[in-house]
PDB file of all heavy atoms in Angstrom:
ATOM      1  N   ALA A   1      87.801 -15.037  54.714  1.00 98.00           N
ATOM      2  CA  ALA A   1      88.094 -16.286  55.414  1.00 98.00           C
ATOM      3  C   ALA A   1      87.340 -16.268  56.734  1.00 98.00           C
ATOM      4  O   ALA A   1      87.371 -15.272  57.461  1.00 98.00           O
ATOM      5  CB  ALA A   1      89.592 -16.448  55.648  1.00 98.00           C
ATOM      6  N   LEU A   2      86.671 -17.351  57.032  1.00 98.00           N
ATOM      7  CA  LEU A   2      85.818 -17.446  58.215  1.00 98.00           C
ATOM      8  C   LEU A   2      86.039 -18.806  58.867  1.00 98.00           C
ATOM      9  O   LEU A   2      85.776 -19.841  58.264  1.00 98.00           O
ATOM     10  CB  LEU A   2      84.352 -17.297  57.794  1.00 98.00           C
ATOM     11  CG  LEU A   2      83.281 -17.244  58.868  1.00 98.00           C
ATOM     12  CD1 LEU A   2      83.396 -15.957  59.674  1.00 98.00           C
ATOM     13  CD2 LEU A   2      81.894 -17.344  58.233  1.00 98.00           C
ATOM     14  N   ALA A   3      86.541 -18.788  60.104  1.00 98.00           N
ATOM     15  CA  ALA A   3      86.762 -20.035  60.840  1.00 98.00           C
ATOM     16  C   ALA A   3      85.674 -20.179  61.900  1.00 98.00           C
ATOM     17  O   ALA A   3      85.456 -19.268  62.704  1.00 98.00           O
ATOM     18  CB  ALA A   3      88.134 -20.037  61.495  1.00 98.00           C
ATOM     19  N   CYS A   4      84.998 -21.309  61.899  1.00 98.00           N
ATOM     20  CA  CYS A   4      83.898 -21.582  62.843  1.00 98.00           C
ATOM     21  C   CYS A   4      84.214 -22.876  63.591  1.00 98.00           C
ATOM     22  O   CYS A   4      83.859 -23.974  63.118  1.00 98.00           O
ATOM     23  CB  CYS A   4      82.585 -21.709  62.090  1.00 98.00           C
ATOM     24  SG  CYS A   4      82.119 -20.258  61.111  1.00 98.00           S
ATOM     25  N   PRO A   5      84.856 -22.780  64.759  1.00 98.00           N
ATOM     26  CA  PRO A   5      85.325 -23.986  65.457  1.00 98.00           C
ATOM     27  C   PRO A   5      84.230 -24.933  65.931  1.00 98.00           C
ATOM     28  O   PRO A   5      84.497 -26.123  66.127  1.00 98.00           O
ATOM     29  CB  PRO A   5      86.098 -23.407  66.649  1.00 98.00           C
ATOM     30  CG  PRO A   5      86.543 -22.058  66.190  1.00 98.00           C
ATOM     31  CD  PRO A   5      85.399 -21.553  65.359  1.00 98.00           C
ATOM     32  N   GLU A   6      82.998 -24.448  66.140  1.00 96.00           N
ATOM     33  CA  GLU A   6      81.923 -25.299  66.651  1.00 96.00           C
ATOM     34  C   GLU A   6      80.864 -25.612  65.598  1.00 96.00           C
ATOM     35  O   GLU A   6      79.857 -26.236  65.908  1.00 96.00           O
ATOM     36  CB  GLU A   6      81.259 -24.631  67.857  1.00 96.00           C
ATOM     37  CG  GLU A   6      82.188 -24.378  69.028  1.00 96.00           C
ATOM     38  CD  GLU A   6      82.759 -25.658  69.617  1.00 96.00           C
ATOM     39  OE1 GLU A   6      82.077 -26.707  69.547  1.00 96.00           O
ATOM     40  OE2 GLU A   6      83.897 -25.622  70.129  1.00 96.00           O
ATOM     41  N   PHE A   7      81.113 -25.216  64.361  1.00 96.00           N
ATOM     42  CA  PHE A   7      80.101 -25.377  63.316  1.00 96.00           C
ATOM     43  C   PHE A   7      80.278 -26.709  62.597  1.00 96.00           C
ATOM     44  O   PHE A   7      81.395 -27.141  62.309  1.00 96.00           O
ATOM     45  CB  PHE A   7      80.199 -24.240  62.301  1.00 96.00           C
ATOM     46  CG  PHE A   7      79.097 -24.240  61.277  1.00 96.00           C
ATOM     47  CD1 PHE A   7      77.827 -23.824  61.617  1.00 96.00           C
ATOM     48  CD2 PHE A   7      79.337 -24.677  59.983  1.00 96.00           C
ATOM     49  CE1 PHE A   7      76.805 -23.823  60.667  1.00 96.00           C
ATOM     50  CE2 PHE A   7      78.329 -24.679  59.038  1.00 96.00           C
ATOM     51  CZ  PHE A   7      77.053 -24.247  59.387  1.00 96.00           C
ATOM     52  N   SER A   8      79.162 -27.350  62.310  1.00 93.00           N
ATOM     53  CA  SER A   8      79.189 -28.614  61.564  1.00 93.00           C
ATOM     54  C   SER A   8      78.018 -28.656  60.604  1.00 93.00           C
ATOM     55  O   SER A   8      77.022 -27.947  60.773  1.00 93.00           O
ATOM     56  CB  SER A   8      79.138 -29.816  62.505  1.00 93.00           C
ATOM     57  OG  SER A   8      77.944 -29.801  63.268  1.00 93.00           O
ATOM     58  N   VAL A   9      78.143 -29.460  59.590  1.00 90.00           N
ATOM     59  CA  VAL A   9      77.114 -29.658  58.579  1.00 90.00           C
ATOM     60  C   VAL A   9      76.795 -31.143  58.529  1.00 90.00           C
ATOM     61  O   VAL A   9      77.720 -31.970  58.565  1.00 90.00           O
ATOM     62  CB  VAL A   9      77.605 -29.167  57.195  1.00 90.00           C
ATOM     63  CG1 VAL A   9      76.551 -29.385  56.129  1.00 90.00           C
ATOM     64  CG2 VAL A   9      77.980 -27.692  57.269  1.00 90.00           C
ATOM     65  N   PRO A  10      75.512 -31.513  58.475  1.00 85.00           N
ATOM     66  CA  PRO A  10      75.153 -32.938  58.515  1.00 85.00           C
ATOM     67  C   PRO A  10      75.884 -33.814  57.510  1.00 85.00           C
ATOM     68  O   PRO A  10      76.221 -34.960  57.804  1.00 85.00           O
ATOM     69  CB  PRO A  10      73.643 -32.908  58.236  1.00 85.00           C
ATOM     70  CG  PRO A  10      73.192 -31.587  58.767  1.00 85.00           C
ATOM     71  CD  PRO A  10      74.325 -30.647  58.479  1.00 85.00           C
ATOM     72  N   CYS A  11      76.168 -33.281  56.311  1.00 79.00           N
ATOM     73  CA  CYS A  11      76.811 -34.106  55.278  1.00 79.00           C
ATOM     74  C   CYS A  11      78.328 -34.155  55.411  1.00 79.00           C
ATOM     75  O   CYS A  11      78.997 -34.821  54.619  1.00 79.00           O
ATOM     76  CB  CYS A  11      76.427 -33.604  53.892  1.00 79.00           C
ATOM     77  SG  CYS A  11      76.979 -31.916  53.544  1.00 79.00           S
ATOM     78  N   MET A  12      78.887 -33.431  56.410  1.00 82.00           N
ATOM     79  CA  MET A  12      80.330 -33.431  56.621  1.00 82.00           C
ATOM     80  C   MET A  12      80.656 -34.029  57.983  1.00 82.00           C
ATOM     81  O   MET A  12      79.932 -33.810  58.955  1.00 82.00           O
ATOM     82  CB  MET A  12      80.894 -32.007  56.523  1.00 82.00           C
ATOM     83  CG  MET A  12      80.690 -31.355  55.175  1.00 82.00           C
ATOM     84  SD  MET A  12      81.373 -29.654  55.123  1.00 82.00           S
ATOM     85  CE  MET A  12      80.859 -29.134  53.482  1.00 82.00           C
ATOM     86  N   ALA A  13      81.747 -34.762  58.063  1.00 85.00           N
ATOM     87  CA  ALA A  13      82.085 -35.465  59.298  1.00 85.00           C
ATOM     88  C   ALA A  13      82.654 -34.553  60.373  1.00 85.00           C
ATOM     89  O   ALA A  13      82.554 -34.845  61.565  1.00 85.00           O
ATOM     90  CB  ALA A  13      83.083 -36.587  58.991  1.00 85.00           C
ATOM     91  N   ASP A  14      83.262 -33.445  59.963  1.00 92.00           N
ATOM     92  CA  ASP A  14      84.012 -32.616  60.905  1.00 92.00           C
ATOM     93  C   ASP A  14      83.147 -31.587  61.619  1.00 92.00           C
ATOM     94  O   ASP A  14      82.254 -30.989  61.025  1.00 92.00           O
ATOM     95  CB  ASP A  14      85.131 -31.873  60.175  1.00 92.00           C
ATOM     96  CG  ASP A  14      86.187 -32.814  59.626  1.00 92.00           C
ATOM     97  OD1 ASP A  14      85.995 -33.320  58.497  1.00 92.00           O
ATOM     98  OD2 ASP A  14      87.172 -33.034  60.323  1.00 92.00           O
ATOM     99  N   THR A  15      83.450 -31.357  62.901  1.00 95.00           N
ATOM    100  CA  THR A  15      83.005 -30.167  63.608  1.00 95.00           C
ATOM    101  C   THR A  15      84.179 -29.206  63.627  1.00 95.00           C
ATOM    102  O   THR A  15      85.267 -29.560  64.079  1.00 95.00           O
ATOM    103  CB  THR A  15      82.573 -30.495  65.044  1.00 95.00           C
ATOM    104  OG1 THR A  15      81.417 -31.345  65.010  1.00 95.00           O
ATOM    105  CG2 THR A  15      82.230 -29.221  65.810  1.00 95.00           C
ATOM    106  N   GLY A  16      83.946 -28.009  63.130  1.00 97.00           N
ATOM    107  CA  GLY A  16      85.027 -27.042  62.970  1.00 97.00           C
ATOM    108  C   GLY A  16      85.404 -26.922  61.515  1.00 97.00           C
ATOM    109  O   GLY A  16      85.984 -27.844  60.927  1.00 97.00           O
ATOM    110  N   LEU A  17      85.038 -25.773  60.905  1.00 98.00           N
ATOM    111  CA  LEU A  17      85.283 -25.570  59.479  1.00 98.00           C
ATOM    112  C   LEU A  17      85.930 -24.212  59.232  1.00 98.00           C
ATOM    113  O   LEU A  17      85.731 -23.270  60.002  1.00 98.00           O
ATOM    114  CB  LEU A  17      83.972 -25.638  58.688  1.00 98.00           C
ATOM    115  CG  LEU A  17      83.187 -26.950  58.714  1.00 98.00           C
ATOM    116  CD1 LEU A  17      81.858 -26.762  57.979  1.00 98.00           C
ATOM    117  CD2 LEU A  17      83.989 -28.075  58.095  1.00 98.00           C
ATOM    118  N   VAL A  18      86.704 -24.132  58.158  1.00 98.00           N
ATOM    119  CA  VAL A  18      87.166 -22.857  57.617  1.00 98.00           C
ATOM    120  C   VAL A  18      86.469 -22.671  56.278  1.00 98.00           C
ATOM    121  O   VAL A  18      86.560 -23.539  55.403  1.00 98.00           O
ATOM    122  CB  VAL A  18      88.693 -22.817  57.425  1.00 98.00           C
ATOM    123  CG1 VAL A  18      89.111 -21.481  56.810  1.00 98.00           C
ATOM    124  CG2 VAL A  18      89.409 -23.033  58.741  1.00 98.00           C
ATOM    125  N   LEU A  19      85.750 -21.584  56.141  1.00 98.00           N
ATOM    126  CA  LEU A  19      85.080 -21.252  54.888  1.00 98.00           C
ATOM    127  C   LEU A  19      85.820 -20.072  54.270  1.00 98.00           C
ATOM    128  O   LEU A  19      86.258 -19.164  54.983  1.00 98.00           O
ATOM    129  CB  LEU A  19      83.615 -20.884  55.126  1.00 98.00           C
ATOM    130  CG  LEU A  19      82.738 -21.945  55.808  1.00 98.00           C
ATOM    131  CD1 LEU A  19      82.805 -21.794  57.336  1.00 98.00           C
ATOM    132  CD2 LEU A  19      81.298 -21.850  55.353  1.00 98.00           C
ATOM    133  N   PHE A  20      85.933 -20.046  52.936  1.00 98.00           N
ATOM    134  CA  PHE A  20      86.695 -18.979  52.309  1.00 98.00           C
ATOM    135  C   PHE A  20      86.210 -18.723  50.888  1.00 98.00           C
ATOM    136  O   PHE A  20      85.551 -19.573  50.271  1.00 98.00           O
ATOM    137  CB  PHE A  20      88.194 -19.283  52.328  1.00 98.00           C
ATOM    138  CG  PHE A  20      88.576 -20.601  51.708  1.00 98.00           C
ATOM    139  CD1 PHE A  20      88.900 -20.682  50.357  1.00 98.00           C
ATOM    140  CD2 PHE A  20      88.633 -21.764  52.466  1.00 98.00           C
ATOM    141  CE1 PHE A  20      89.269 -21.890  49.771  1.00 98.00           C
ATOM    142  CE2 PHE A  20      89.001 -22.970  51.896  1.00 98.00           C
ATOM    143  CZ  PHE A  20      89.319 -23.042  50.555  1.00 98.00           C
ATOM    144  N   ALA A  21      86.539 -17.540  50.401  1.00 98.00           N
ATOM    145  CA  ALA A  21      86.104 -17.155  49.053  1.00 98.00           C
ATOM    146  C   ALA A  21      86.960 -16.025  48.523  1.00 98.00           C
ATOM    147  O   ALA A  21      87.503 -15.224  49.282  1.00 98.00           O
ATOM    148  CB  ALA A  21      84.636 -16.720  49.075  1.00 98.00           C
ATOM    149  N   VAL A  22      87.082 -15.975  47.210  1.00 97.00           N
ATOM    150  CA  VAL A  22      87.623 -14.845  46.474  1.00 97.00           C
ATOM    151  C   VAL A  22      86.529 -14.386  45.524  1.00 97.00           C
ATOM    152  O   VAL A  22      85.855 -15.221  44.898  1.00 97.00           O
ATOM    153  CB  VAL A  22      88.891 -15.223  45.678  1.00 97.00           C
ATOM    154  CG1 VAL A  22      89.312 -14.089  44.762  1.00 97.00           C
ATOM    155  CG2 VAL A  22      90.023 -15.591  46.611  1.00 97.00           C
ATOM    156  N   ARG A  23      86.325 -13.085  45.436  1.00 96.00           N
ATOM    157  CA  ARG A  23      85.268 -12.583  44.551  1.00 96.00           C
ATOM    158  C   ARG A  23      85.477 -13.097  43.128  1.00 96.00           C
ATOM    159  O   ARG A  23      86.535 -12.946  42.541  1.00 96.00           O
ATOM    160  CB  ARG A  23      85.238 -11.056  44.561  1.00 96.00           C
ATOM    161  CG  ARG A  23      84.131 -10.460  43.674  1.00 96.00           C
ATOM    162  CD  ARG A  23      83.901  -9.004  43.957  1.00 96.00           C
ATOM    163  NE  ARG A  23      83.367  -8.794  45.298  1.00 96.00           N
ATOM    164  CZ  ARG A  23      82.071  -8.933  45.634  1.00 96.00           C
ATOM    165  NH1 ARG A  23      81.190  -9.300  44.712  1.00 96.00           N
ATOM    166  NH2 ARG A  23      81.681  -8.719  46.879  1.00 96.00           N
ATOM    167  N   GLY A  24      84.454 -13.726  42.600  1.00 95.00           N
ATOM    168  CA  GLY A  24      84.506 -14.285  41.261  1.00 95.00           C
ATOM    169  C   GLY A  24      85.094 -15.677  41.192  1.00 95.00           C
ATOM    170  O   GLY A  24      85.139 -16.282  40.114  1.00 95.00           O
ATOM    171  N   GLY A  25      85.526 -16.215  42.339  1.00 96.00           N
ATOM    172  CA  GLY A  25      86.183 -17.529  42.328  1.00 96.00           C
ATOM    173  C   GLY A  25      85.447 -18.626  43.063  1.00 96.00           C
ATOM    174  O   GLY A  25      85.964 -19.739  43.220  1.00 96.00           O
ATOM    175  N   GLY A  26      84.233 -18.353  43.544  1.00 97.00           N
ATOM    176  CA  GLY A  26      83.480 -19.370  44.266  1.00 97.00           C
ATOM    177  C   GLY A  26      83.834 -19.411  45.741  1.00 97.00           C
ATOM    178  O   GLY A  26      84.756 -18.738  46.205  1.00 97.00           O
ATOM    179  N   ALA A  27      83.074 -20.199  46.490  1.00 98.00           N
ATOM    180  CA  ALA A  27      83.286 -20.357  47.929  1.00 98.00           C
ATOM    181  C   ALA A  27      83.579 -21.814  48.241  1.00 98.00           C
ATOM    182  O   ALA A  27      83.041 -22.726  47.598  1.00 98.00           O
ATOM    183  CB  ALA A  27      82.052 -19.892  48.705  1.00 98.00           C
ATOM    184  N   TYR A  28      84.418 -22.026  49.247  1.00 98.00           N
ATOM    185  CA  TYR A  28      84.879 -23.367  49.575  1.00 98.00           C
ATOM    186  C   TYR A  28      84.985 -23.528  51.087  1.00 98.00           C
ATOM    187  O   TYR A  28      85.002 -22.548  51.837  1.00 98.00           O
ATOM    188  CB  TYR A  28      86.251 -23.628  48.938  1.00 98.00           C
ATOM    189  CG  TYR A  28      86.231 -23.577  47.436  1.00 98.00           C
ATOM    190  CD1 TYR A  28      86.308 -22.362  46.754  1.00 98.00           C
ATOM    191  CD2 TYR A  28      86.109 -24.742  46.690  1.00 98.00           C
ATOM    192  CE1 TYR A  28      86.270 -22.312  45.372  1.00 98.00           C
ATOM    193  CE2 TYR A  28      86.069 -24.698  45.300  1.00 98.00           C
ATOM    194  CZ  TYR A  28      86.148 -23.483  44.649  1.00 98.00           C
ATOM    195  OH  TYR A  28      86.098 -23.438  43.284  1.00 98.00           O
ATOM    196  N   THR A  29      85.089 -24.775  51.514  1.00 97.00           N
ATOM    197  CA  THR A  29      85.302 -25.053  52.926  1.00 97.00           C
ATOM    198  C   THR A  29      86.274 -26.206  53.093  1.00 97.00           C
ATOM    199  O   THR A  29      86.407 -27.067  52.199  1.00 97.00           O
ATOM    200  CB  THR A  29      83.976 -25.381  53.646  1.00 97.00           C
ATOM    201  OG1 THR A  29      84.224 -25.495  55.052  1.00 97.00           O
ATOM    202  CG2 THR A  29      83.380 -26.700  53.150  1.00 97.00           C
ATOM    203  N   THR A  30      86.944 -26.195  54.228  1.00 97.00           N
ATOM    204  CA  THR A  30      87.884 -27.259  54.568  1.00 97.00           C
ATOM    205  C   THR A  30      87.848 -27.434  56.084  1.00 97.00           C
ATOM    206  O   THR A  30      87.510 -26.485  56.808  1.00 97.00           O
ATOM    207  CB  THR A  30      89.304 -26.901  54.082  1.00 97.00           C
ATOM    208  OG1 THR A  30      90.169 -28.024  54.236  1.00 97.00           O
ATOM    209  CG2 THR A  30      89.873 -25.731  54.850  1.00 97.00           C
ATOM    210  N   PRO A  31      88.155 -28.615  56.612  1.00 97.00           N
ATOM    211  CA  PRO A  31      88.145 -28.790  58.064  1.00 97.00           C
ATOM    212  C   PRO A  31      89.146 -27.870  58.749  1.00 97.00           C
ATOM    213  O   PRO A  31      90.219 -27.588  58.212  1.00 97.00           O
ATOM    214  CB  PRO A  31      88.535 -30.260  58.243  1.00 97.00           C
ATOM    215  CG  PRO A  31      88.150 -30.925  56.962  1.00 97.00           C
ATOM    216  CD  PRO A  31      88.407 -29.890  55.901  1.00 97.00           C
ATOM    217  N   LEU A  32      88.780 -27.427  59.940  1.00 97.00           N
ATOM    218  CA  LEU A  32      89.658 -26.551  60.705  1.00 97.00           C
ATOM    219  C   LEU A  32      90.799 -27.324  61.356  1.00 97.00           C
ATOM    220  O   LEU A  32      91.935 -26.848  61.388  1.00 97.00           O
ATOM    221  CB  LEU A  32      88.844 -25.830  61.789  1.00 97.00           C
ATOM    222  CG  LEU A  32      89.627 -25.013  62.830  1.00 97.00           C
ATOM    223  CD1 LEU A  32      90.428 -23.898  62.171  1.00 97.00           C
ATOM    224  CD2 LEU A  32      88.660 -24.443  63.878  1.00 97.00           C
ATOM    225  N   PHE A  33      90.514 -28.511  61.865  1.00 97.00           N
ATOM    226  CA  PHE A  33      91.469 -29.198  62.732  1.00 97.00           C
ATOM    227  C   PHE A  33      92.264 -30.310  62.047  1.00 97.00           C
ATOM    228  O   PHE A  33      93.010 -31.030  62.699  1.00 97.00           O
ATOM    229  CB  PHE A  33      90.738 -29.777  63.954  1.00 97.00           C
ATOM    230  CG  PHE A  33      90.079 -28.723  64.803  1.00 97.00           C
ATOM    231  CD1 PHE A  33      88.693 -28.599  64.821  1.00 97.00           C
ATOM    232  CD2 PHE A  33      90.834 -27.846  65.559  1.00 97.00           C
ATOM    233  CE1 PHE A  33      88.077 -27.628  65.601  1.00 97.00           C
ATOM    234  CE2 PHE A  33      90.231 -26.864  66.339  1.00 97.00           C
ATOM    235  CZ  PHE A  33      88.850 -26.764  66.364  1.00 97.00           C
ATOM    236  N   ARG A  34      92.109 -30.455  60.732  1.00 96.00           N
ATOM    237  CA  ARG A  34      92.915 -31.442  60.011  1.00 96.00           C
ATOM    238  C   ARG A  34      93.088 -30.982  58.571  1.00 96.00           C
ATOM    239  O   ARG A  34      92.322 -30.157  58.064  1.00 96.00           O
ATOM    240  CB  ARG A  34      92.262 -32.831  60.055  1.00 96.00           C
ATOM    241  CG  ARG A  34      90.951 -32.932  59.302  1.00 96.00           C
ATOM    242  CD  ARG A  34      90.351 -34.325  59.398  1.00 96.00           C
ATOM    243  NE  ARG A  34      89.072 -34.396  58.674  1.00 96.00           N
ATOM    244  CZ  ARG A  34      88.956 -34.733  57.384  1.00 96.00           C
ATOM    245  NH1 ARG A  34      90.041 -35.021  56.673  1.00 96.00           N
ATOM    246  NH2 ARG A  34      87.765 -34.782  56.801  1.00 96.00           N
TER     247      ARG A  34
END
């Protein structure tokens, strides 16, 4: 689990993301502040 409060991606509206993964289960992201 990796939280990046100042990170943003052009195709996503939010600044601040939580990225996470389980081995063999893929990687995902969700907004940090909502």
Side-chain angles (χ1 to χ4, degrees):
L2 185 68
C4 302
E6 299 298 330
F7 187 75
S8 61
V9 179
C11 63
M12 298 180 184
D14 294 86
T15 295
L17 298 175
V18 178
L19 302 89
F20 55 91
V22 172
R23 181 166 294 279
Y28 298 83
T29 186
T30 189
L32 172 61
F33 299 109
R34 67 181 179 90

